[in-house]
Amino acid sequence: MKQLGDILLQDGLVTEDQLFAAFREHKEQGKALGRVLVDQGVLTESQLVAALAQQIGLEFVDLGEYPVDGSIIARVSGAICRKHSALPLRIDDDGKLLLAMADPANVFAIDDIRSITGLEVRPVVATRADVLGAIDRYFRADSDLDDLSAVMDSADDEEDLSNLREVVEDAPIVKFVNLLITQAIQDRASDIHLEPGEHALVVRYRIDGVLHDVMKSPKNIQSGVISRLKIMADINIAERRIPQDGRLSVNHQGKKIDLRVATLPTVWGEKVVMRILDNSNAQMELSDLGFSEFNRDTYAKSFSKPYGMILVTGPTGSGKSTTLYATLNQIARPEVNVITVEDPVEYRLPGINQVQTNSKAGLTFAAALRSILRCDPDIVLIGEIRDHETAQIAVEASLTGHLVLSTLHTNDAPSAVTRLTEMGLEPFLVGSALDCVLAQRLARRLCSKCKEAYEPTPDSLVQARFPWVDGQQLPTLYRAVGCSACSKTGYRGRLALHEVMAVSEAVERHAVERASATVISETARDEGMRTLRDDGMLKVASGVTTMDEILRVVV
């Protein structure tokens, strides 16, 4: 058997110097040689597994690209595949079952699948992450949900449900709700929508900012499913006439996931929307948000100051809170006092004092802010500026030596100046207090496995106002195709588009003169501000998203 180092050198994956350095660490620490090379960044996990497969004489497969026979997968249950970290792929030309395995030495897995399928098994090697990801894709919970719907459909009608609490604790209802949430988390959904209709309960997931229909369930399970969710979120199940809010937590693959639950009475019953709050978003750094170098430097100058107001603007769901939390992660230190007031507190951050508003108790943004300023803060984060009183206190706080971070609902950065004056603030205060405005949108990111290069036509570039001059060489752009890794959408994940406006002396002068947002925008662009569209087109040119996607999210 060839040594691993010889294989890596032969394939050109490492140099002799890299191999010797890894070998020394391997001897000193007792770690496996391949693991040392991965930890040092010399090899990727896939390259290591491919080399190990070559060492033992087995084939390596990339499951993101491999054609899988659905009829073969159906012969083995998802539970067995997860138990052994193995996935049937297809029947080979010699009649053997090709089995992708993270551990090809697992003879129990081979024996189990041989006895279940009645076929001889030929193992091939894949990374553990690829195998588990493929199992999640091919053994979705959808079929289980459909089976549960059929079981519950055969139960008594809703009118005969005399004891609602007994019904919602019934095993099929509990399993249905658990699978609903689990599948949404696996699909990377940000929201789950349960929408009552006249004849069915429609379930939809919002994935990468776009809603997708997942299933239609029988109408007679609607009351039990919604009541089960309300009990989990500690919401009054007897009250169906008014909107209610709650929160619940679930454990998924050893990780705690919080969900924010909102109910809304409609003509066909209560609509439920669950926002999935992944706490990893709150731990993101600014470098993870896709800032261009120019925008990042401009924004960093503003939050590096000890006072002033920074606003992040955009519509609901544009990632404003994530950007503010990433900013806090950058500037929060043990020697500064950071206090936030939010409605609601979506992510719990260690070392930061977070206050949740409670309008019923009189704890509004303005009331909370007045108390916060008596608690000696250095940095204040306000979830949203909604009214004159909150805006007035925020401006005064920034002028008295505090760094104030907040959000505002405007379409672009220059409009934030006029919006604050429209709220009744004195223009000279707005110009003095405001230091930077960041407008942002979220666009879908192209799937790296299936994106396709193409050469656009000059007319399409002109219509999209792409930064291209007639006569120049046409750029190479990319379009969405769709594969198993991205659920046939062509996109996987999202990226942010940014418009960063530093409030210069000229912009401050416009604010004092009550100039329009158009005038402020022209001055800011003359000073170097890149609009959302400009930033989007730069990301199109770099191949991370498409022209159609930018035109979808930016006017």
Side-chain angles (χ1 to χ4, degrees), residues 205-251:
Y205 294 161
R206 186 179 294 279
I207 303 172
D208 294 335
V210 178
L211 278 171
H212 300 269
D213 284 358
V214 176
M215 66 177 299
K216 289 185 178 180
S217 299
K219 180 73 175 176
N220 67 330
I221 74 167
Q222 174 182 309
S223 179
V225 170
I226 292 174
S227 295
R228 169 65 182 169
L229 285 169
K230 290 171 75 173
I231 287 175
M232 291 172 70
D234 198 21
I235 295 174
N236 183 3
I237 65 170
E239 181 57 76
R240 302 181 180 181
R241 300 164 298 171
I242 60 173
Q244 298 185 79
D245 296 309
R247 192 181 183 105
L248 63 92
S249 297
V250 297
N251 283 312

Side-chain angles (χ1 to χ4, degrees), residues 23 114 148 165 207 265 298 333 493 500-501 528:
F23 190 74
R114 182 192 295 120
L148 280 171
R165 279 205 175 264
I207 303 172
T298 305
R333 304 181 304 278
V500 184
M501 184 186 77

Side-chain angles (χ1 to χ4, degrees), residues 13 90 126 134 136 169 235 258 274 312 323 404 428 447 462 470 475:
L13 296 174
R90 61 181 175 85
D136 283 343
E169 299 298 338
I235 295 174
D258 293 328
M274 293 181 280
V312 181
T323 298
V404 178
F428 69 90
C447 174
V462 171
D470 193 10

Side-chain angles (χ1 to χ4, degrees), residues 313-333:
T313 75
T316 302
S318 59
K320 300 188 297 296
S321 296
T322 300
T323 298
L324 286 179
Y325 283 130
T327 306
L328 277 187
N329 288 334
Q330 186 90 5
I331 60 181
R333 304 181 304 278

Side-chain angles (χ1 to χ4, degrees), residues 3-6 8-9 13-29 31-34 36-37 40 42-43:
Q3 294 296 316
L4 176 63
D6 295 335
L8 295 174
L9 285 172
L13 296 174
V14 298
T15 64
E16 288 190 357
D17 289 344
Q18 290 171 329
L19 188 60
F20 287 142
F23 190 74
R24 282 197 300 271
E25 188 172 334
H26 153 70
K27 286 293 188 183
E28 291 169 1
Q29 300 184 9
K31 290 170 63 177
L33 178 63
V36 171
L37 288 164
Q40 291 178 346
V42 177
L43 290 180

Side-chain angles (χ1 to χ4, degrees), residues 438-502:
L438 165 65
Q440 73 176 47
R441 298 288 189 280
L442 292 179
R444 289 182 292 175
R445 185 188 296 272
L446 272 169
C447 174
S448 59
K449 291 186 178 293
C450 66
K451 66 180 183 180
E452 180 181 79
Y454 74 101
E455 189 174 278
T457 63
D459 287 345
S460 66
L461 295 177
V462 171
Q463 289 175 3
R465 287 181 278 161
F466 188 85
W468 170 80
V469 179
D470 193 10
Q472 286 184 344
Q473 183 178 353
L474 290 170
T476 299
L477 303 183
Y478 291 84
R479 60 164 67 99
V481 177
C483 65
S484 59
C486 59
S487 302
K488 304 297 182 184
T489 63
Y491 299 94
R492 185 172 176 84
R494 289 192 286 179
L495 54 88
L497 315 179
H498 301 102
E499 177 178 289
V500 184
M501 184 186 77

